[in-house]
Amino acid sequence: MVATSTGGSALGRYILVRFLLIIPTVFILVTTVFVLMRATGDPITASQGGRLSADELQRRISEAGYDRPVLVQYWEYLTGIVRGDFGTSISDNRPVIEVLGQYGGATLELTAYAVALAVLLGLPLGMLAAYFRDRWPDAGLRVLAILAYATPVFFAGLLLKLIFAVGLGWFPVAGRASTAAQIEMRFAGDSSGFYLVDAIRTGQWWVVQDVLSHAVLPSVALGLLTAGVFLRLVRTNMIATLGTDYVDAARSRGVRERRLVVAHATRPALIPVITVAGMQVAMLLVGAVLTETTFEWRGLGFQLAQYLTVRDFVAVQGIVVLMAVIVAVTNFLVDIVAALIDPRVRY
Amino acid sequence: MRTIRSSRGLTLAASTASLALVLTACSGGSDGDGANGGGGAGGGSITVGTTEQVTSIDPAGSYDNGSFAVMNQVYPFLLNSPYGTSDVEPDIAESADFTAPTEFTVVLKEGLTFANGNELTSSDVKFSFDRQVEIAHPDGPSSLLYNLDSVEVVDELTVVFNLLEENDQIFPQILSSPAAPIVDEEVFAADEVTADADIVDGGAFAGQYTITQYSVNDLIQYQANPDYAGILAAPRTGTINVSYYTDSSNLKLDVEQGNIDVAFRTLSATDVEDLRTKDTVQVVDGPGGEIRYLVFNFDTMPFGATADDADADKALAVRQAVAHLIDRDAISEDVYKGTFTPLYSYVPEGVTGATESLKEMYGDGAGAPDAAAAADALDAAGIETPVELNIQYVAERYGPSSGDEYAVIEESLEVDGLFDVNLQSTEWVTYASDFSADAYPIFQLGWFPDYSDAENYLSPFFLTDNFLGNHYSNPEVDEKLLAQATETDTEARVALLEEIQDLVAADLSTIPYMQGAQVAVVGLDVSGAEETLDGSFKFRYGALSKG
Amino acid sequence: MSVPISSVGTAGAAPEHLGGRWAWLRRAPVVHQVRQSVGLQRAMLLVGIVLTAAFVLVAVLAPLLAPYGPSQRSDEAGGFGTQQPPSVEHWFGTTVGGYDVLSRVIWGAQTAVLVVLVAVAASLVIGVLLGLVSGYFGGWLDRVLVLVADAIYAFPSLLLAILLAIVISGGQSSMWGGILAAALSITVVFIPQYFRVVRSEVVRVKSEAFVDAARVLGTPHRRIMSRHVLRNSVRTLPLIVTLNASEAILTLAGLGFLGFGIEPTAAAEWGYDLQRAVSDVTSGIWWTALFPGLAIVVAAMGMTLMGESLNDLADPRLRSRTASTEVAGDVAETSVQADVTKEDER
């Protein structure tokens, strides 16, 4: 995020300006998506073409109002969003806000597992790589990280499925829970969106196990991708920190390299990692779309792919706008954190 | 030594992984037995998996296979087909007949109720049809009620449908179609599509099953409805859970590994072929109502009416040569591994009145292609070969194998250099609006019937000004199509339908070439699927039993 | 170079003042970095270059290397048969559509290279132009462009590419139509990256003293600007290009996998082949998924290794310690590179 504001060294002012920047960012994305979706055809033809005559199709299209001027539809949509009304999905006739609520939780759950895994793997391995800088373990780890990046998440998912679900049969193939577990959870009350929470609420161990075992392969697929990125970040920042005067001073006092990595360089090296990691949210969302599709993990990404194929632009717009807001807000928070930590960031 | 450090790092990674393993290891065997109480007739529970998608379970708000599949379990019809046939009989009706040329009178059985306790009377029936017409949802099936003028309530049990055209022989079929499920007027809204959740909460069901758990396109739990009073037997299984998939390979693995009992619509050809070799499941085949066909645009095809060298005879010769050459067995076997079967007529096998007109008239007479006959046809019309054909097909809409399917068609048409085929594919939304606008000279389409009557495979396509917009017109066909619609004598009507198929087969407005088989994959202990895989193309869970 | 450039800093001190016939080659991007690198860093860079070169070679020589055409289902000996396991005739087996997997993999390289070339070239040209204009003129145009670029840059790239692919390719199925559609959808996502680098460079150079000096001397302002900016950018851009190239391959594969890519009969595309192979995998047919998948990994890996190594070499903090001594004092360069480092980390 490049903040274009000049002067204004006060933190409060920076935060305000940075916050106001969210609005045009989201506005631009909403507009882009709206224009693109309208250019892809109407949902009536998508669902009823091939059954009805051209005249009948046209009649229904105009009845639904899709032949009105785009600007009118655009204005309607914008005012709707401002009022918090995302419309009703065309293909399955549900309030979009409800769709967002239901599936947002699933995506959040998946990304939480993946990020946890990525931190558990990426952090120690990145430090390891920095410690062994330019020696074989470093090269090996870096190649692994690049491999994790270069492997499309759906190919990784396919391989994981082939080995652990089809071959060894350790984990289920797809989905978030077995049918039996899902029913059990629904009896326990309305879904919170987080299956782990729902499962614990049933009070039955097998439901929890079921839910967790469904989460393993998707989390690993998405987690490995993210871990590769984390490893790179940690290594880069750790190496940079090890080259600073502060660490040099410690080194000159005779502190050993291993201790330097663990004790002295960790904190300063990790702060930028946290802020940069926050910026990975866009990458994470793309990864989630592909992972969810591969594993039929019914989250926002999965639904997005479904809605796209039926040209349900009301639903697609809703999901995309939410993603845009998530990205914009995360970036905003990251910038604020960065500014708090390092005053030089405030331009 | 550095190795110590590195091994500690690895231990951390390894222990993280093993923690995950321990947490999740033995989850396979558990069964949610507590959930499956089941109050209905059969008891027990069966889990069905499907890749179909539900648009809306309100009959006025959807017109697709996935939604209709749900409606068939939970709503009653006035007329319906029993297991094993496509012919309709009174369902929750005592009787249903023409009482005058434009009056179709239905008398309901006595004491009908919905699962929520509300009475099901003639006023619910009137409500169900009136709201279809009133709402006329863009995605709804209200267009099927084209011949309905008004619905009249005579008394608690009697309704009269006033029709526009006399003696409409299709109307009984319409009453079993997606436009005709009977709904509860106290739960459904008269002028707008009712939300799925309201329908489920309202318990507005009077079919074989009621819905007790509903999570859209994710999970539906059905319980047998003790108050069901239609022609189908009481359900054999008390609880049916339906799990929705989007990826057929995941569905395939789950049924193969026994995580679900039944997989129905739609597994890929590869999946079905592989499952046939497995001894943990049985593959049950039935006739399918889905057909694929090639459409010729009579204006823009080679030698078509608006071409520079327009010549109706030559155009016909081109169509005949194509009909001689299409290798249906290759498509069926190579591409679809038998999940689609060769189709030699306009009406698919399993539907009353189906012929095999194209088999006798084209190819070698036994269903295989005949290049010599094709060459003769072109030669006799004085056409120089190769003839250039531009064939358009649609990506994805009819499954991922369309590309392969058309590669085979291209190959079979290019035999002996008779044709030079250019294949083009288009994304569906563009395709759907372009094909009827003369954009494509020859193009692919598929059809799934609205109701299971031969007429539904003929009128929409071959009446002048049909939805294909291919400029086909044959007064004799028009006349016979109109005649069969009001022919009250069943045998005479079937004869008419057969004549129409022969006539169109001579004209070749379209060339149908394959028919989708209905394939259900069930566990070894599940029975009954074969009974409901019939020409009505309604898959009733009530026929299934386990153990 | 007639203009004083001392304050800009030079890339790699040593080769810069070597004369001779091959000096331009030694100074060329990539070659320069190979010479600059040492040890493992050089090994990684070389592996990356070799993989990338192999990938490009396969693509160029596809007509010679591939035993069959991308949509060929039979030869003189008859049909290939569908889903046949690897054999002498078909080293990698055949697909569900009856195509030769090896041939599809090889032709797929061609599709990928074409898409990468078009995507990178288009985004480079448009991004650089917009960056120059925006940075040079400033004002509200600059602000709007920056805002738009930031918004697009922050947004999940694949999603944008999908939407664009639907808009662009609705109705096209020819090989070039498909390739252009895929490439252009990726292009839009990449433009902001070039835009930002070039723009910040313009803004920086604009404030340099020598530009004012040159103006006083009567040299056209704009010429100096573009010359300096482009000169400096030439060192930065190869890095973004390589990283973008690998991202382009992954985005293309993602588009294909989700069914929004190139139509299969028009050209071989790995992502699409993988999607078709999904149902094979569950039936124990591994060869239709494994080979296209590995092809994506190898191609993306080669480019990423190259990009990563270039990135390291550009950043003095990350350069191997033995090598860093020879290039002291390129402060200006570093500031640009640090920017880039941050970007590719996002």
Side-chain angles (χ1 to χ4, degrees):
Chain A
M1 288 287 111
V2 175
T4 45
S5 63
T6 47
S9 55
L11 183 63
R13 198 188 128 104
Y14 173 72
I15 292 178
L16 181 72
V17 170
R18 190 58 198 74
F19 178 76
L20 289 178
L21 267 175
I22 293 180
I23 296 166
T25 306
V26 171
F27 172 78
I28 288 167
L29 288 172
V30 169
T31 309
T32 312
V33 172
F34 183 89
V35 171
L36 287 180
M37 285 314 287
R38 292 300 139 133
T40 58
D42 69 280
I44 310 257
T45 311
S47 69
Q48 297 299 322
R51 302 197 75 86
L52 302 174
S53 67
D55 294 343
E56 177 67 13
L57 274 180
Q58 199 50 51
R59 192 187 64 73
R60 292 187 178 201
I61 287 169
S62 70
E63 216 164 76
Y66 293 128
D67 60 348
R68 291 172 303 154
V70 172
L71 274 179
V72 174
Q73 298 185 48
Y74 177 55
W75 177 249
E76 235 178 56
Y77 186 66
L78 273 190
T79 48
I81 289 185
V82 172
R83 279 184 279 113
D85 173 14
F86 285 79
T88 306
S89 71
I90 299 156
S91 63
D92 51 12
N93 201 27
R94 305 170 62 195
V96 172
I97 203 87
E98 178 194 312
V99 171
L100 298 182
Q102 183 183 346
Y103 298 113
T107 301
L108 207 58
E109 192 174 1
L110 174 64
T111 42
Y113 293 147
V115 169
L117 188 71
V119 170
L120 282 176
L121 282 178
L123 215 67
L125 292 182
M127 288 165 69
L128 206 66
Y131 176 72
F132 285 109
R133 183 184 175 185
D134 294 326
R135 277 170 288 174
W136 283 108
D138 177 33
L141 283 170
R142 296 190 65 199
V143 169
L144 275 183
I146 291 174
L147 190 67
Y149 167 80
T151 309
V153 79
F154 47 86
F155 182 52
L158 221 55
L159 291 180
L160 286 172
K161 256 202 233 185
L162 184 63
I163 297 168
F164 295 103
V166 182
L168 299 171
W170 288 359
F171 301 108
V173 184
R176 289 180 70 195
S178 70
T179 315
Q182 259 176 313
I183 291 168
E184 195 71 27
M185 286 187 284
R186 286 197 67 86
F187 272 113
D190 281 341
S191 176
S192 62
F194 298 89
Y195 269 22
L196 189 57
V197 176
D198 290 357
I200 291 169
R201 206 166 49 178
T202 64
Q204 300 199 49
W205 180 231
W206 70 266
V207 180
V208 179
Q209 280 180 328
D210 185 272
V211 165
L212 281 177
S213 75
H214 277 82
V216 171
L217 293 185
S219 309
V220 169
L222 186 56
L224 282 181
L225 170 73
T226 322
V229 178
F230 274 33
L231 194 157
R232 271 176 61 195
L233 288 178
V234 173
R235 175 186 176 274
T236 308
N237 283 293
M238 185 62 87
I239 286 174
T241 315
L242 286 174
T244 56
D245 299 341
Y246 148 74
V247 178
D248 271 345
R251 197 178 276 127
S252 63
R253 287 201 308 272
V255 181
R256 293 180 53 197
E257 196 73 11
R258 191 190 306 165
R259 187 155 169 71
L260 278 178
V261 169
V262 176
H264 291 76
T266 305
R267 267 178 56 96
L270 289 192
I271 288 168
V273 168
I274 290 165
T275 62
V276 181
M279 294 178 184
Q280 300 296 318
V281 66
M283 183 214 73
L284 208 59
L285 285 176
V286 166
V289 171
L290 292 168
T291 313
E292 288 178 7
T293 313
T294 313
F295 287 99
E296 291 202 36
W297 185 275
R298 283 162 195 279
L300 284 180
F302 175 87
Q303 284 303 121
L304 182 67
Q306 298 302 307
Y307 286 134
L308 272 170
T309 46
V310 294
R311 300 289 185 281
D312 185 337
F313 44 55
V314 178
V316 169
Q317 277 163 192
I319 295 179
V320 170
V321 167
L322 180 68
M323 287 189 170
V325 170
I326 292 176
V327 171
V329 169
T330 319
N331 283 343
F332 163 71
L333 292 177
V334 161
D335 280 1
I336 299 305
V337 171
L340 288 173
I341 292 168
D342 182 358
R344 282 173 305 167
V345 176
R346 288 172 241 154
Y347 300 106
Chain B
M1 276 293 285
R2 284 176 202 114
T3 42
I4 298 168
R5 165 76 31 192
S6 83
S7 71
R8 254 178 72 183
L10 285 175
T11 314
L12 176 60
S15 59
T16 316
S18 56
L19 176 66
L21 284 180
V22 170
L23 277 174
T24 55
C26 47
S27 63
S30 28
D31 242 340
D33 37 10
N36 309 323
S45 91
I46 284 181
T47 303
V48 180
T50 181
T51 61
E52 288 185 327
Q53 299 286 300
V54 175
T55 310
S56 165
I57 62 171
D58 182 339
S62 64
Y63 189 9
D64 55 79
N65 294 331
S67 309
F68 193 46
V70 178
M71 293 177 207
N72 270 316
Q73 322 300 332
V74 296
Y75 299 123
F77 293 82
L78 296 178
L79 291 151
N80 210 344
S81 52
Y83 299 144
T85 173
S86 67
D87 299 329
V88 294
E89 293 171 20
D91 188 11
I92 56 166
E94 196 64 55
S95 68
D97 298 291
F98 278 97
T99 45
T102 58
E103 279 182 25
F104 191 77
T105 304
V106 177
V107 180
L108 294 175
K109 288 177 182 167
E110 282 184 46
L112 295 172
T113 57
F114 287 99
N116 56 18
N118 294 344
E119 285 185 0
L120 193 169
T121 65
S122 51
S123 112
D124 289 297
V125 173
K126 177 176 165 54
F127 173 81
S128 301
F129 288 91
D130 285 354
R131 71 186 291 269
Q132 279 283 6
V133 176
E134 162 74 26
I135 295 170
H137 193 272
D139 285 337
S142 61
S143 57
L144 288 173
L145 301 173
Y146 58 90
N147 196 23
L148 181 66
D149 183 29
S150 63
V151 187
E152 242 176 79
V153 172
V154 177
D155 58 40
E156 278 275 285
L157 298 178
T158 314
V159 255
V160 173
F161 293 88
N162 294 311
L163 306 182
L164 296 167
E165 297 282 334
E166 296 181 0
N167 292 320
D168 182 356
Q169 294 307 300
I170 309 305
F171 199 70
Q173 283 284 357
I174 300 277
L175 291 183
S176 75
S177 76
I182 305 302
V183 299
D184 185 349
E185 61 182 332
E186 287 168 55
V187 173
F188 284 78
D191 51 1
E192 60 176 10
V193 172
T194 306
D196 291 356
D198 296 339
I199 299 171
V200 174
D201 292 343
F205 308 115
Q208 281 178 301
Y209 284 100
T210 63
I211 295 176
T212 46
Q213 290 292 334
Y214 186 84
S215 169
V216 68
N217 285 331
D218 190 6
L219 171 83
I220 300 182
Q221 185 181 57
Y222 297 91
Q223 299 279 2
N225 175 11
D227 300 328
Y228 174 68
I231 41 165
L232 304 171
R236 292 176 190 153
T237 304
T239 307
I240 302 282
N241 300 312
V242 178
S243 202
Y244 285 83
Y245 293 72
T246 49
D247 183 356
S248 79
S249 63
N250 292 333
L251 173 63
K252 182 252 178 189
L253 267 184
D254 269 354
V255 72
E256 182 185 338
Q257 295 176 350
N259 299 330
I260 57 175
D261 302 306
V262 178
F264 182 68
R265 284 184 73 90
T266 302
L267 290 164
S268 78
T270 310
D271 295 337
V272 173
E273 193 186 36
D274 187 57
L275 287 170
R276 283 188 206 278
T277 67
K278 298 285 191 289
D279 49 12
T280 50
V281 291
Q282 20 175 357
V283 178
V284 186
D285 302 272
E290 192 179 358
I291 64 166
R292 299 288 164 75
Y293 55 98
L294 267 184
V295 184
F296 292 93
N297 185 311
F298 278 49
D299 276 4
T300 58
M301 68 170 291
F303 310 108
T306 59
D308 294 338
D309 47 1
D311 183 332
D313 292 335
K314 287 186 176 176
L316 176 63
V318 167
R319 295 198 297 276
Q320 287 170 336
V322 172
H324 282 304
L325 287 174
I326 283 190
D327 190 346
R328 293 178 170 83
D329 287 323
I331 302 172
S332 168
E333 288 310 314
D334 290 359
V335 181
Y336 289 99
K337 324 276 182 198
T339 52
F340 272 81
T341 52
L343 175 62
Y344 296 98
S345 180
Y346 298 87
V347 180
E349 184 200 336
V351 176
T352 312
T355 63
E356 287 205 323
S357 310
L358 292 162
K359 194 178 205 168
E360 294 135 29
M361 294 167 76
Y362 304 103
D364 67 354
D370 186 344
D376 287 349
L378 292 174
D379 196 40
I383 297 171
E384 278 186 37
T385 55
V387 181
E388 192 180 353
L389 293 185
N390 293 308
I391 302 182
Q392 198 87 15
Y393 69 97
V394 55
E396 287 299 315
R397 171 73 175 185
Y398 300 118
S401 300
S402 285
D404 306 335
E405 179 185 323
Y406 275 78
V408 171
I409 288 179
E410 176 178 16
E411 237 169 41
S412 65
L413 292 180
E414 285 182 341
V415 166
D416 290 351
L418 294 178
F419 289 107
D420 181 12
V421 177
N422 302 316
L423 288 181
Q424 284 277 317
S425 86
T426 308
E427 178 270 335
W428 171 247
V429 182
T430 315
Y431 191 89
S433 51
D434 278 3
F435 75 76
S436 54
D438 293 334
Y440 315 134
I442 305 173
F443 55 94
Q444 169 204 32
L445 275 180
W447 182 256
F448 196 88
D450 305 309
Y451 44 88
S452 207
D453 189 279
E455 189 268 350
N456 196 231
Y457 290 94
L458 298 170
S459 297
F461 305 94
F462 306 124
L463 277 175
T464 305
D465 294 330
N466 52 61
F467 86 92
L468 299 173
N470 72 335
H471 311 290
Y472 171 69
S473 173
N474 183 339
E476 203 184 344
V477 171
D478 284 352
E479 191 186 305
K480 288 199 153 86
L481 277 172
L482 295 177
Q484 61 80 28
T486 55
E487 177 57 66
T488 47
D489 180 69
T490 315
E491 272 175 45
R493 182 167 174 260
V494 168
L496 273 172
L497 290 169
E498 288 174 358
E499 283 167 38
I500 296 166
Q501 291 174 66
D502 284 345
L503 283 172
V504 188
D507 291 340
L508 290 171
S509 166
T510 71
I511 301 182
Y513 56 87
M514 63 179 193
Q515 166 178 11
Q518 297 185 85
V519 178
V521 178
V522 301
L524 293 179
D525 53 351
V526 176
S527 56
E530 60 286 344
E531 287 176 54
T532 182
L533 287 177
D534 54 42
S536 72
F537 316 126
K538 294 179 172 182
F539 189 77
R540 276 86 165 224
Y541 302 143
L544 303 172
S545 62
K546 184 170 155 185
Chain C
M1 293 295 122
S2 53
V3 190
I5 50 167
S6 56
S7 59
V8 182
T10 57
E16 200 71 52
H17 34 73
L18 279 179
R21 271 169 82 184
W22 300 103
W24 63 272
L25 182 64
R26 287 188 212 108
R27 279 199 303 271
V30 182
V31 178
H32 162 67
Q33 274 96 341
V34 173
R35 287 167 49 84
Q36 185 190 349
S37 63
V38 289
L40 279 173
Q41 215 155 46
R42 174 175 267 182
M44 278 173 69
L45 178 58
L46 285 176
V47 170
I49 292 173
V50 167
L51 284 179
T52 308
F55 165 56
V56 174
L57 257 174
V58 166
V60 173
L61 300 178
L64 300 175
L65 291 176
Y68 308 101
S71 55
Q72 190 179 345
R73 298 180 69 252
S74 59
D75 57 8
E76 301 82 49
F80 295 164
T82 57
Q83 297 172 327
Q84 297 301 307
S87 64
V88 181
E89 294 81 35
H90 305 286
W91 293 358
F92 291 179
T94 63
T95 71
V96 63
Y99 306 118
D100 180 57
V101 175
L102 175 61
S103 305
R104 295 278 297 178
V105 167
I106 292 174
W107 287 103
Q110 197 177 59
T111 311
V113 164
L114 285 173
V115 169
V116 168
L117 278 181
V118 176
V120 171
S123 44
L124 190 66
V125 171
I126 302 174
V128 168
L129 277 180
L130 284 180
L132 283 173
V133 169
S134 183
Y136 184 79
F137 289 108
W140 63 270
L141 178 78
D142 182 45
R143 280 167 196 236
V144 170
L145 281 176
V146 167
L147 213 56
V148 172
D150 278 359
I152 292 178
Y153 183 56
F155 195 65
S157 56
L158 184 67
L159 298 189
L160 208 58
I162 291 174
L163 294 182
L164 283 161
I166 297 177
V167 175
I168 298 172
S169 69
Q172 286 175 330
S173 76
S174 63
M175 174 175 160
W176 278 105
I179 286 174
L180 283 179
L184 290 182
S185 351
I186 300 170
T187 299
V188 175
V189 177
F190 286 168
I191 288 175
Q193 304 186 15
Y194 299 94
F195 170 81
R196 301 176 81 185
V197 170
V198 173
R199 181 191 163 276
S200 63
E201 187 72 8
V202 172
V203 170
R204 197 176 60 78
V205 173
K206 222 161 96 175
S207 61
E208 295 282 351
F210 70 89
V211 176
D212 284 333
R215 196 165 44 188
V216 171
L217 292 174
T219 320
H221 192 183
R222 240 170 262 183
R223 237 185 88 211
I224 307 168
M225 288 283 309
S226 46
R227 217 173 180 175
H228 278 276
V229 169
L230 290 181
R231 212 188 111 75
N232 278 326
S233 304
V234 164
R235 298 201 309 268
T236 320
L237 294 181
L239 205 160
I240 312 183
V241 166
T242 38
L243 289 172
N244 272 359
S246 65
E247 207 186 323
I249 288 178
L250 294 174
T251 307
L252 175 69
L255 279 176
F257 184 78
L258 290 175
F260 299 104
I262 296 171
E263 181 54 28
T265 43
E269 201 271 302
W270 297 330
Y272 173 83
D273 283 356
L274 254 182
Q275 183 210 25
R276 291 303 310 279
V278 168
S279 69
D280 295 352
V281 164
T282 50
S283 299
I285 297 166
W286 49 269
W287 56 89
T288 52
L290 188 66
F291 297 113
L294 284 180
I296 298 172
V297 175
V298 169
M301 213 165 144
M303 305 251 183
T304 316
L305 271 173
M306 220 169 112
E308 277 270 303
S309 310
L310 293 183
N311 188 25
D312 285 3
L313 291 169
D315 187 338
R317 296 172 305 165
L318 297 176
R319 208 175 288 153
S320 281
R321 275 165 285 197
T322 36
S324 59
T325 47
E326 82 188 53
V327 273
D330 47 357
V331 185
E333 184 194 15
T334 308
S335 70
V336 178
Q337 312 292 25
D339 228 25
V340 174
T341 315
K342 193 178 168 195
E343 277 175 55
D344 92 273
E345 280 164 354
R346 297 180 57 168

